[in-house]
Amino acid sequence: DTAVSQTPKYLVTQMGNDKSIKCEQNLGHDTMYWYKQDSKKFLKIMFSYNNKELIINETVPNRFSPKSPDKAHLNLHINSLELGDSAVYFCASSQGDEVGQPQHFGDGTRLSIL
Amino acid sequence: AQSVSQHNHHVILSEAASLELGCNYSYGGTVNLFWYVQYPGQHLQLLLKYFSGDPLVKGIKGFEAEFIKSKFSFNLRKPSVQWSDTAEYFCASGGSARQLTFGSGTQLTVLP
């Protein structure tokens, strides 16, 4: 069984469009994350969220917004897509944010902007 | 702000060679340290982690890492690499899971 699943795996779209990436985890974790991995493989945290608090990386444009319908889901909405948004986006989850808790990652969504 | 440095961007080894990948972190408080591996086309998987206790940490697939506080380092080692170890390796640190900061990654290529 897939622990953290993301859909779609690939997403090709044009500049200016609005798109969403879905993420679901079946691990019973209470904290979920979104990361962006650029063309140089550098991973950068975008958001972390649990049922109490959303923490946003201040460098993330407000065109990006996380939406969590329930504890097992954290979807990523992107408005007015730009060329620089092309990257691989990884969802992850962990049990709380106590010291030492590892994060479990999804397979990633490769977003390409034309 | 936390930062993690991986100075080796690409390492090429022959099978059976020994591996050591460097990782340095900057953070003044309590740290958690992790090594993740990303095989081609796959998601990140946890290799090992350290947050307290024995500074020599054993992970999966024969990997180990040593936490040296005085050097702010957490280098990854494996005595004998295999072709299947070809992957991207990421070091990460954080005071808690929410503050996880990744290094830029090291691409390991193992030649058969």
Side-chain angles (χ1 to χ4, degrees), chain A residues 9 31 33 35 37 40-43 45 48-50 53 55 90 94 96-108, chain B residues 4 30-32 34 36 38 41-46 49-51 88 90 95-105 107:
Chain A
K9 191 168 183 177
T31 305
Y33 312 81
Y35 287 87
Q37 186 178 44
K40 295 182 180 178
K41 295 292 185 78
F42 189 65
L43 265 170
I45 182 76
S48 66
Y49 181 79
N50 66 17
E53 192 177 11
I55 297 178
F90 286 97
S94 68
D97 58 5
E98 291 82 15
V99 170
Q101 293 301 318
Q103 295 179 17
H104 298 256
F105 285 80
D107 288 340
Chain B
V4 177
T30 304
V31 293
N32 308 333
F34 305 84
Y36 282 85
Q38 186 177 25
Q42 295 188 26
H43 61 271
L44 281 85
Q45 301 172 43
L46 182 67
K49 65 175 183 176
Y50 169 83
F51 58 94
E88 189 92 20
F90 292 91
S96 71
R98 287 202 179 195
Q99 300 171 19
L100 208 57
T101 300
F102 284 86
S104 55
Q107 173 65 46

Side-chain angles (χ1 to χ4, degrees), chain A residues 36-106:
Chain A
K36 180 180 180 180
Q37 186 178 44
D38 63 22
S39 58
K40 295 182 180 178
K41 295 292 185 78
F42 189 65
L43 265 170
K44 192 171 184 180
I45 182 76
M46 300 177 72
F47 305 100
S48 66
Y49 181 79
N50 66 17
N51 58 5
K52 302 173 190 173
E53 192 177 11
L54 171 67
I55 297 178
I56 302 171
N57 184 324
E58 61 187 14
T59 66
V60 174
N62 58 14
R63 298 181 294 104
F64 290 79
S65 58
K67 296 282 194 294
S68 181
D70 54 57
K71 203 171 83 166
H73 296 82
L74 185 66
N75 302 327
L76 182 65
H77 296 268
I78 317 170
N79 294 325
S80 302
L81 281 158
E82 299 178 358
L83 287 175
D85 298 333
S86 294
V88 182
Y89 292 84
F90 286 97
C91 178
S93 71
S94 68
Q95 183 53 41
D97 58 5
E98 291 82 15
V99 170
Q101 293 301 318
Q103 295 179 17
H104 298 256
F105 285 80

